Amino acid sequence: MDIEGFRKAGYAAVDAICDYYTNLSKRTVKAEVQPGYLIEQLPREAPSTGEDFATVAADFQSLILPGITHWQHGKFMAYFPAISTFESMIADLYATSVSNPGFNWVCSPACTELEQVTMDWMAKILGLGKEFHLEQGSGGGVILNSASEAALTAAIAARETALRELTSSEPGSTVSGGTFDVPDDLRAKYSPKLVMYGSTQTHSLGEKAALILGLSFRAVPVAAADGYALRGDALRKAIEEDVKKGLIPFYVIATVGTTSTGAVDRIDEIGQVVSEYKTISLHIDSAWAGVALALEDQRAFLRLDDINRYATSFCTNMHKWGLVAFDCSLFFVRNRKALNLALDATPAFLRSKEADTGTVIDYRNWQLALGRRFRSIKIWFVMRSYGVKGFQDHLRVGIDQCQQLSKLITASSSFEIVTPPSLSLIVFRLGGAALPADTLPAERNLLNTLLNNRLNARYDVFLTQTMLHSADQEDVFCIRIALGGRTTTMQDVEEVWAVVEEEGEAVLKEWRDQKA
Amino acid sequence: MDIEGFRKAGYAAVDAICDYYTNLSKRTVKAEVQPGYLIEQLPREAPSTGEDFATVAADFQSLILPGITHWQHGKFMAYFPAISTFESMIADLYATSVSNPGFNWVCSPACTELEQVTMDWMAKILGLGKEFHLEQGSGGGVILNSASEAALTAAIAARETALRELTSSEPGSTVSGGTFDVPDDLRAKYSPKLVMYGSTQTHSLGEKAALILGLSFRAVPVAAADGYALRGDALRKAIEEDVKKGLIPFYVIATVGTTSTGAVDRIDEIGQVVSEYKTISLHIDSAWAGVALALEDQRAFLRLDDINRYATSFCTNMHKWGLVAFDCSLFFVRNRKALNLALDATPAFLRSKEADTGTVIDYRNWQLALGRRFRSIKIWFVMRSYGVKGFQDHLRVGIDQCQQLSKLITASSSFEIVTPPSLSLIVFRLGGAALPADTLPAERNLLNTLLNNRLNARYDVFLTQTMLHSADQEDVFCIRIALGGRTTTMQDVEEVWAVVEEEGEAVLKEWRDQKA
């Protein structure tokens, strides 16, 4: 394709995307296809000679779009939103047009510097303390692929911090503030004893980070009475048990806005516990909720002061509720040197005169991989176009809709709210007056599983189930509605709720009929 | 921005990109800016109210482009190419327009299935055996962010394979083909003894994977006489030494096309060694060169038969020489179950009826993170537009240009080729007849460092240095020219070479003047 071919195909793509958004509400949320639908329609081998691009692009419409689950649809309320805005689409296109792997400053100075600037913008918007700002403190931010990568990266830095702490007074140690100088035998001695902690509500990214690093992850129980938030006492008990066994606690993931219910762990209590152990780093996973720190009136609920006081690192995803297209995960650390020490591997071909003199940041030492996309431009375009106020207004819409939905659920005789609305997330189930008081927990779960199956079988709504584990009662199966999508209107919310009620009544009728 | 606003801004972006490519050759390759150039020009905080999008987009031209190192420039010959094609830009735009995190099938069936199909396309184009095809064997491919991530992912799978192999006959083991059931105490017993291997020429991704996993990486020496390729005997010697010490070899990274010189490790010999140890997995890192397996006449050089015979996994990057914009790293495994076993962590909210019945692939179990971009559409658009023949033609251009450059260097009296051209990469240095035969290696390195500094100080060319470590001679500092860029013409090659000659003569003149 030559330049003029690109102009034509580019315009056509823009037009096609305009059509997509114009007609999006007429589509079902979920793809109405069965496994294998696309595999069956495509040739088993690539064509040997090139095809006309218009044909290729047309196949996106006819073959791909029918198999897309529309995360941008107003009725998408599963998982969490993964918003793409027009501003971030255009930003991403510009970035791809100058495609480069951005692993060090000289690779493209603009990539590195714009990331520095926009990460400081975001730190300020979210209210993170100066310790987390690149321009003023010893910390700073980097854009990673995902919150999973952030939790893993934080764990690696935490491990290095712990090993240095543990070995600095050991005979044979060469810790001197230099590079990787904890000797292998001391690493081998201590590493198998390292334990990380989260709660039973921690996102699977905690367990996965442990899997990847070959370390243990301990899921500390939470209680329904605490709103499924991790408490300091439970954490302390787990840590003390492990220390007695000779294990070494090194990393705690606290969640601000859990995936299941939006619970906010008690960072105040957790931070107090963690601060008693020199080997422990505290990572705050706020993948979904963290962007709401942009709202001053939510900062107490989200425990900003405690985060600023205790957190070693903090992560939130712009690519969920934050108006920036996937991927754009913000990862802030209090001590960038500790992070770099854990991740720096510099061969000759990656050296540059600027990095050697220490005048620039090489972001490859802030992440797992070498190469990286130019993602800060998405933040730059979105935050400038919306402005901080526009960003805040967007967040408030999802929160308001959730409050209104909460009233609808409360008003319903067949449903009950399981946990109070957390920002734009609400968790509910069949229950309340519709079920006799002596209905067993297992039966309640079964009824809600049946409801979930019915909802899953539909294509016009998309919600997610969750199972709540608690130390003080039996497991609770329930359903989540995650609002906050850019195109979601209150009418969408009401229509989805009507579907839930309809399916819920059907489940109850069948159940009553069976019993009768 | 509303839909019509996007149409306008989208057209404008397409036009701006057309202008960029029309005038690209008039720009210098490297950004002519000093550290801090952008930071100084941007406000310290995001604007509180939104700005007009045309202003924002204009700033991309006036603030960002001056700080971009132009990887798409015809004279970009540093590192390796990171090609962006118009086809992949448009593909990426479509993907972002339906932005979704694609972690399981139901998230968007099209994302998963198109990846399955295009990975099989690529396996066939590259000549990988059926074992690596998803449709026919026990293996298959997945798109990852980078070759670093692939090497790390392969190491994690290798560790799990080794631990299962080691513990299956231990008392207390519960290995039964199920999920993560190597007990923690056995993991703790064996993990610290695990060692991974590469050569001194292995990309830093090897050392970094070891850093991340907290395991040892042993860089086995290579010899200049072997063209800096890792030999079986050297690997065997290292492994046997370690086994004697009670260590456990579990993972070997062999490189097909090293970063420094394009050397191809002796997979035939390495494979033989590895096959003698049940605990060892063999990963082939062919990040740059692997796409050239599409050329039948290069398959012997790149040791395809040995790869097919011995490799546990194989990685090549489409986002280097392969015409697909960053990021798009192809990762193929022989045994997908072994990979999934090492990476599966499935909480309730990630379950789906399709995955539970085993009828679909959930790619989250093939990678480190949960979320993922819809990247297969870039391969689909590029391979269909170019066709296999067009793809091969593109590769041949870079190889031909390198052959011609090789002749220019050979004809020069002041330069010598250090290693023979490998595909589109050539490594050379000041030397040959220009230097007295008794010039010491250190002095030769110094002269070439001076040359490199001079080249680095220029903005119209961009090359990379490398230091070659060898068991049979002193370190050799040299300079690489990496061809293969989509816009690189033979005239670009000649002009860059003229610059190198000019700077080389200047270095030699200064040196002679000093000596005189």
Side-chain angles (χ1 to χ4, degrees):
Chain A
M1 186 185 289
D2 62 12
I3 292 174
E4 288 312 313
F6 171 67
R7 198 186 311 271
K8 196 176 149 196
Y11 280 20
V14 169
D15 287 340
I17 294 167
C18 289
D19 289 349
Y20 174 73
Y21 277 90
T22 302
N23 298 308
L24 183 53
S25 64
K26 294 173 204 153
R27 293 181 184 267
T28 57
V29 185
K30 278 162 74 178
E32 297 184 74
V33 298
Q34 295 304 311
Y37 95 95
L38 183 61
I39 294 170
E40 288 156 13
Q41 295 183 79
L42 295 180
R44 290 282 158 272
E45 297 193 20
S48 101
T49 53
E51 298 174 56
D52 177 56
F53 191 78
T55 310
V56 177
D59 280 352
F60 178 80
Q61 305 298 321
S62 61
L63 295 173
I64 303 300
L65 278 185
I68 290 291
T69 291
H70 303 287
W71 288 64
Q72 310 311 315
H73 195 293
K75 290 195 173 73
F76 182 97
M77 299 174 191
Y79 309 107
F80 282 124
I83 298 175
S84 185
T85 49
F86 293 129
E87 291 81 357
S88 59
M89 285 178 220
I90 293 174
D92 212 27
L93 177 61
Y94 275 120
T96 312
S97 76
V98 295
S99 186
N100 68 63
F103 44 79
N104 62 15
W105 182 87
V106 76
C107 259
S108 267
C111 298
T112 296
E113 297 197 13
L114 189 63
E115 189 156 334
Q116 294 181 232
V117 169
T118 52
M119 287 303 283
D120 272 357
W121 280 15
M122 290 312 304
K124 290 168 190 171
I125 291 169
L126 303 178
L128 294 177
K130 286 184 185 173
E131 314 82 69
F132 295 98
H133 300 198
L134 196 60
E135 65 183 5
Q136 299 189 60
S138 55
V142 59
I143 306 176
L144 300 180
N145 296 300
S146 67
S148 308
E149 191 189 359
L152 174 59
T153 304
I156 293 163
R159 184 185 56 194
E160 192 63 23
T161 300
L163 287 175
R164 280 163 193 268
E165 182 63 36
L166 288 161
T167 60
S168 58
S169 57
E170 282 261 356
S173 165
T174 53
V175 172
S176 60
T179 48
F180 321 102
D181 43 12
V182 177
D184 282 352
D185 59 331
L186 291 182
R187 287 184 187 273
K189 175 178 168 187
Y190 289 109
S191 294
K193 298 177 184 165
L194 298 173
V195 186
M196 55 176 87
Y197 300 82
S199 82
T200 51
Q201 297 300 304
T202 302
H203 187 276
S204 56
L205 57 73
E207 188 190 333
K208 194 145 184 182
L211 261 181
I212 289 168
L213 297 181
L215 301 174
S216 302
F217 177 81
R218 183 157 175 178
V220 179
V222 295
D226 296 323
Y228 299 94
L230 178 61
R231 301 290 303 258
D233 283 348
L235 177 65
R236 187 190 302 278
K237 185 163 167 282
I239 286 177
E240 288 178 356
E241 280 171 10
D242 287 344
V243 169
K244 247 181 227 166
K245 288 184 205 157
L247 300 175
I248 306 164
F250 83 104
Y251 182 55
V252 174
I253 301 176
T255 308
V256 170
T258 60
T259 303
S260 277
T261 66
V264 177
D265 286 346
R266 291 292 297 268
I267 315 290
D268 54 339
E269 299 176 356
I270 294 166
Q272 183 54 44
V273 173
V274 163
S275 65
E276 293 165 26
Y277 293 84
K278 281 193 175 174
T279 54
I280 305 185
S281 299
L282 175 62
H283 176 64
I284 308 294
D285 173 34
S286 195
W288 157 64
V291 293
L293 286 169
L295 299 172
E296 292 210 11
D297 55 359
Q298 297 295 342
R299 287 180 174 178
F301 169 65
L302 298 171
R303 300 196 173 278
L304 176 63
D305 289 348
D306 303 318
I307 293 170
N308 279 327
R309 183 161 177 197
Y310 295 114
T312 312
S313 52
F314 172 86
C315 172
T316 190
N317 288 342
M318 295 297 282
H319 62 245
K320 285 194 165 74
W321 197 6
L323 296 173
V324 174
F326 190 85
D327 51 341
C328 189
S329 190
L330 311 184
F331 178 55
F332 296 95
V333 297
R334 190 182 289 272
N335 182 347
R336 61 179 181 260
K337 198 175 166 192
L339 179 65
N340 299 162
L341 269 178
L343 289 170
D344 184 2
T346 304
F349 65 86
L350 288 178
R351 293 182 59 178
S352 67
K353 60 180 196 236
E354 294 81 7
D356 285 351
T357 56
T359 51
V360 298
I361 279 184
D362 279 357
Y363 268 125
R364 69 195 159 79
N365 297 328
W366 295 58
Q367 65 173 24
L368 305 182
L370 177 61
R372 55 207 318 276
R373 286 175 74 101
F374 183 14
R375 290 172 290 212
S376 56
I377 185 173
K378 293 190 287 193
I379 298 176
W380 196 48
F381 274 29
V382 166
M383 293 312 302
R384 289 184 66 186
S385 300
Y386 278 78
V388 178
K389 284 189 179 140
F391 188 72
Q392 292 167 329
D393 290 344
H394 155 71
L395 296 169
R396 282 197 192 96
V397 170
I399 295 171
D400 290 347
Q401 288 177 351
C402 193
Q403 291 295 337
Q404 293 184 62
L405 173 59
S406 159
K407 286 176 195 154
L408 291 176
I409 301 177
T410 306
S412 152
S413 60
S414 304
F415 288 88
E416 61 190 15
I417 293 175
V418 178
T419 55
S422 173
L423 304 170
S424 54
L425 174 68
I426 193 158
V427 179
F428 64 93
R429 62 191 327 229
L430 274 172
L435 302 183
D438 61 352
T439 311
L440 294 172
E443 187 141 26
R444 288 174 188 266
N445 282 351
L446 177 65
L447 286 170
N448 278 284
T449 305
L450 293 172
L451 170 59
N452 186 58
N453 291 346
R454 282 181 161 270
L455 292 169
N456 258 342
R458 295 184 67 133
Y459 296 98
D460 56 344
V461 298
F462 191 13
L463 308 180
T464 330
Q465 80 273 24
T466 193
M467 182 72 93
L468 300 180
H469 308 291
S470 163
D472 57 348
Q473 63 177 40
E474 296 193 48
D475 288 355
V476 178
F477 184 96
C478 40
I479 296 172
R480 303 159 70 258
I481 290 187
L483 300 174
R486 186 181 66 83
T487 64
T488 298
T489 61
M490 199 55 217
Q491 188 184 333
D492 289 320
V493 177
E494 286 161 2
E495 287 174 8
V496 167
W497 181 245
V499 169
V500 174
E501 284 201 303
E502 174 195 329
E503 297 292 356
E505 294 308 329
V507 168
L508 290 174
K509 183 173 184 308
E510 274 184 16
W511 182 63
R512 286 173 192 138
D513 288 353
Q514 267 183 343
K515 288 199 123 179
Chain B
M1 184 184 291
D2 62 12
I3 291 174
E4 287 313 311
F6 171 68
R7 197 186 311 271
K8 197 175 147 195
Y11 280 18
V14 168
D15 287 340
I17 294 167
C18 289
D19 290 349
Y20 174 73
Y21 277 91
T22 302
N23 298 309
L24 184 52
S25 64
K26 294 173 203 154
R27 293 181 184 267
T28 57
V29 185
K30 279 163 73 179
E32 297 184 73
V33 298
Q34 295 304 311
Y37 95 95
L38 182 61
I39 294 170
E40 287 157 14
Q41 295 183 79
L42 295 180
R44 290 282 158 272
E45 299 192 19
S48 98
T49 53
E51 298 175 56
D52 177 56
F53 191 78
T55 310
V56 177
D59 280 352
F60 178 80
Q61 304 298 321
S62 59
L63 295 173
I64 303 302
L65 277 185
I68 290 290
T69 291
H70 303 287
W71 287 65
Q72 310 310 315
H73 196 293
K75 290 196 173 73
F76 183 97
M77 299 174 192
Y79 309 107
F80 283 124
I83 299 175
S84 185
T85 50
F86 293 129
E87 291 81 358
S88 58
M89 286 178 220
I90 294 175
D92 212 28
L93 178 61
Y94 275 119
T96 312
S97 76
V98 294
S99 186
N100 69 64
F103 44 78
N104 62 15
W105 182 86
V106 76
C107 259
S108 267
C111 298
T112 296
E113 297 197 12
L114 189 62
E115 189 156 334
Q116 294 181 230
V117 170
T118 53
M119 287 302 283
D120 272 356
W121 281 14
M122 290 310 305
K124 290 169 191 171
I125 290 169
L126 303 178
L128 293 176
K130 286 183 183 174
E131 314 82 68
F132 295 98
H133 300 198
L134 197 59
E135 65 183 4
Q136 299 189 60
S138 55
V142 60
I143 305 175
L144 300 179
N145 296 301
S146 67
S148 308
E149 191 189 1
L152 174 59
T153 305
I156 293 162
R159 184 185 57 193
E160 193 62 24
T161 300
L163 288 174
R164 280 164 193 267
E165 182 63 36
L166 288 161
T167 60
S168 58
S169 57
E170 283 261 355
S173 166
T174 52
V175 172
S176 60
T179 47
F180 321 103
D181 41 14
V182 177
D184 283 352
D185 58 332
L186 291 182
R187 287 184 187 273
K189 176 179 167 187
Y190 289 109
S191 294
K193 297 178 185 164
L194 298 174
V195 185
M196 55 175 86
Y197 300 83
S199 83
T200 51
Q201 297 300 304
T202 302
H203 187 275
S204 56
L205 56 74
E207 188 190 333
K208 195 146 182 182
L211 262 179
I212 289 167
L213 297 182
L215 302 175
S216 303
F217 177 80
R218 181 157 176 180
V220 179
V222 296
D226 295 323
Y228 299 95
L230 177 61
R231 301 291 303 259
D233 283 348
L235 177 65
R236 186 190 303 278
K237 183 161 168 282
I239 287 178
E240 288 178 355
E241 280 171 10
D242 287 345
V243 169
K244 247 181 227 168
K245 287 184 205 158
L247 300 175
I248 305 164
F250 83 104
Y251 182 54
V252 173
I253 301 176
T255 309
V256 169
T258 60
T259 303
S260 277
T261 66
V264 177
D265 286 346
R266 291 292 296 268
I267 316 291
D268 52 340
E269 299 176 356
I270 294 166
Q272 183 54 44
V273 174
V274 163
S275 65
E276 293 165 24
Y277 293 84
K278 281 193 176 173
T279 55
I280 305 184
S281 298
L282 174 62
H283 175 64
I284 308 294
D285 173 33
S286 194
W288 157 65
V291 293
L293 286 169
L295 300 172
E296 291 211 11
D297 56 359
Q298 297 295 341
R299 288 179 175 178
F301 170 66
L302 298 171
R303 300 195 174 277
L304 176 63
D305 289 346
D306 303 318
I307 294 169
N308 278 329
R309 182 162 178 197
Y310 295 114
T312 313
S313 53
F314 172 86
C315 172
T316 190
N317 288 343
M318 293 298 281
H319 62 244
K320 286 194 165 73
W321 197 8
L323 296 173
V324 174
F326 191 84
D327 51 342
C328 189
S329 190
L330 311 184
F331 178 55
F332 296 95
V333 297
R334 190 181 289 272
N335 182 347
R336 60 180 181 260
K337 197 174 166 192
L339 179 65
N340 299 162
L341 270 177
L343 289 169
D344 184 2
T346 304
F349 64 86
L350 288 177
R351 291 182 61 178
S352 68
K353 59 179 195 234
E354 294 81 7
D356 284 351
T357 55
T359 50
V360 298
I361 279 185
D362 279 357
Y363 268 126
R364 69 194 160 79
N365 297 328
W366 295 59
Q367 64 172 24
L368 305 182
L370 177 61
R372 54 206 319 275
R373 285 175 75 102
F374 183 12
R375 289 172 292 212
S376 57
I377 185 174
K378 293 190 286 193
I379 298 176
W380 196 47
F381 274 29
V382 165
M383 293 313 301
R384 289 184 65 185
S385 300
Y386 277 79
V388 178
K389 284 189 181 141
F391 189 72
Q392 291 167 329
D393 289 344
H394 156 70
L395 297 169
R396 282 198 193 96
V397 170
I399 295 172
D400 290 346
Q401 288 176 352
C402 193
Q403 290 295 336
Q404 293 184 60
L405 173 60
S406 160
K407 286 177 195 155
L408 291 176
I409 302 177
T410 306
S412 154
S413 60
S414 305
F415 288 88
E416 61 190 15
I417 294 174
V418 178
T419 56
S422 173
L423 304 170
S424 54
L425 174 67
I426 194 157
V427 179
F428 64 93
R429 63 191 324 229
L430 274 172
L435 302 184
D438 62 353
T439 311
L440 293 172
E443 188 140 27
R444 288 173 188 266
N445 282 352
L446 177 65
L447 287 172
N448 278 284
T449 306
L450 292 173
L451 170 59
N452 186 57
N453 291 348
R454 281 181 162 270
L455 292 170
N456 257 345
R458 296 184 68 132
Y459 296 98
D460 56 344
V461 297
F462 191 12
L463 309 180
T464 331
Q465 80 274 24
T466 193
M467 182 72 92
L468 301 180
H469 308 291
S470 162
D472 57 349
Q473 63 178 42
E474 297 192 50
D475 287 355
V476 177
F477 184 96
C478 40
I479 296 171
R480 303 159 70 258
I481 291 186
L483 300 174
R486 186 180 66 83
T487 65
T488 299
T489 62
M490 198 56 217
Q491 188 184 332
D492 289 321
V493 178
E494 286 161 3
E495 287 174 9
V496 168
W497 181 245
V499 169
V500 174
E501 284 200 305
E502 175 195 328
E503 296 293 356
E505 294 308 328
V507 169
L508 289 174
K509 182 171 184 307
E510 274 183 17
W511 181 62
R512 286 173 192 139
D513 288 352
Q514 267 183 342
K515 287 198 128 181

